């Protein structure tokens, strides 16, 4: 059995909300990279809402079959930037960029730091790990023929 080549991005202490990053990662899991980038750009334009499954208290429903949703701008910008970085890593390794998919997208809570001495508010931090992998040629051939 051959080991698949992977491109990884591992970032510590991003200044984004863990809750939104968890919902975005759930939304993007196991999707093709080109589709994921397109959907994140639609979220930035507020054309597509991220469905909220876990952190949806007092949230309004969005158009379509989304249910409770949101347009998290800051988290979306950072995750899109990390996906582009992973794509660059994959092209440096000689992988086919058109056949990449998101194998794993793991958000974890980052270190908590104080923002100021007086108000004692905590800063939001998130660790993010992205693993991109190429689809097998057989899978691409079967699915591209059925989509046409």
């Amino acid at each position: 059995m051959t080991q698949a080549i992977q491109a990884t991005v591992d970032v510590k202490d991003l200044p984004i909300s863990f809750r939104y990053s968890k919902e975005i990662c759930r939304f993007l899991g196991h999707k093709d990279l080109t589709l994921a980038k397109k959907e994140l750009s639609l979220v930035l334009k507020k054309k597509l809402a991220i469905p909220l499954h876990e952190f949806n208290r007092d949230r309004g429903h969005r158009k379509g079959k989304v249910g409770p949703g949101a347009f998290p701008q800051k988290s979306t910008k950072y995750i899109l930037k990390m996906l582009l970085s992973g794509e660059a890593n994959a092209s440096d390794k000689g992988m086919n960029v058109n056949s990449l998919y998101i194998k794993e997208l793991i958000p974890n809570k980052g270190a908590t730091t104080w923002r100021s001495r007086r108000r004692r508010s905590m800063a939001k931090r998130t660790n993010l790990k992205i693993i991109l992998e190429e689809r097998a040629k057989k899978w691409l051939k079967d699915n591209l023929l059925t989509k046409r």
Side-chain angles (χ1 to χ4, degrees):
M1 189 165 119
T2 60
Q3 184 75 16
I5 301 173
Q6 297 177 342
T8 62
V9 179
D10 196 3
V11 185
K12 305 288 185 202
D13 295 332
L14 285 173
I16 58 175
S17 168
F18 170 71
R19 291 179 176 192
Y20 279 140
S21 61
K22 186 173 180 182
E23 297 289 357
I24 292 171
C25 290
R26 178 182 286 177
F27 177 66
L28 295 177
H30 301 290
K31 288 187 179 181
D32 287 335
L33 185 62
T34 54
L35 178 65
K37 290 189 306 185
K38 186 188 298 182
E39 288 180 348
L40 287 180
S41 65
L42 288 174
V43 171
L44 289 175
K45 294 176 186 174
K46 296 190 177 182
K47 302 284 184 188
L48 178 68
I50 299 290
L52 301 177
H53 294 282
E54 188 173 345
F55 306 106
N56 59 4
R57 186 171 182 173
D58 298 330
R59 292 297 182 125
H61 283 243
R62 301 292 172 205
K63 288 183 181 178
K65 297 181 180 180
V66 175
F71 304 100
Q73 299 293 303
K74 188 174 180 181
S75 300
T76 303
K77 285 179 190 174
Y78 275 97
I79 292 176
L80 182 59
K81 195 174 183 180
M82 296 304 110
L83 286 176
L84 292 174
S85 176
E87 183 179 20
N89 291 348
S91 66
D92 284 345
K93 287 187 172 186
M95 298 168 70
N96 184 8
V97 178
N98 297 325
S99 66
L100 289 177
Y101 77 101
I102 301 171
K103 183 178 181 186
E104 291 183 23
L105 195 59
I106 305 167
N108 289 315
K109 281 191 177 181
T112 54
T113 58
W114 294 106
R115 277 200 186 272
S116 67
R117 293 169 63 186
R118 291 188 184 157
R119 289 193 336 207
R120 305 294 285 179
S121 60
M122 300 297 281
K124 295 176 182 176
R125 299 281 183 242
T126 302
N127 300 334
L128 189 67
K129 183 174 184 176
I130 300 172
I131 299 176
L132 302 174
E133 197 172 278
E134 281 185 326
R135 293 263 190 212
K137 291 182 181 178
K138 182 181 183 307
W139 185 91
L140 285 172
K141 189 176 183 182
D142 293 342
N143 285 339
L144 290 179
L145 291 177
T146 58
K147 286 183 182 178
R148 290 184 183 174

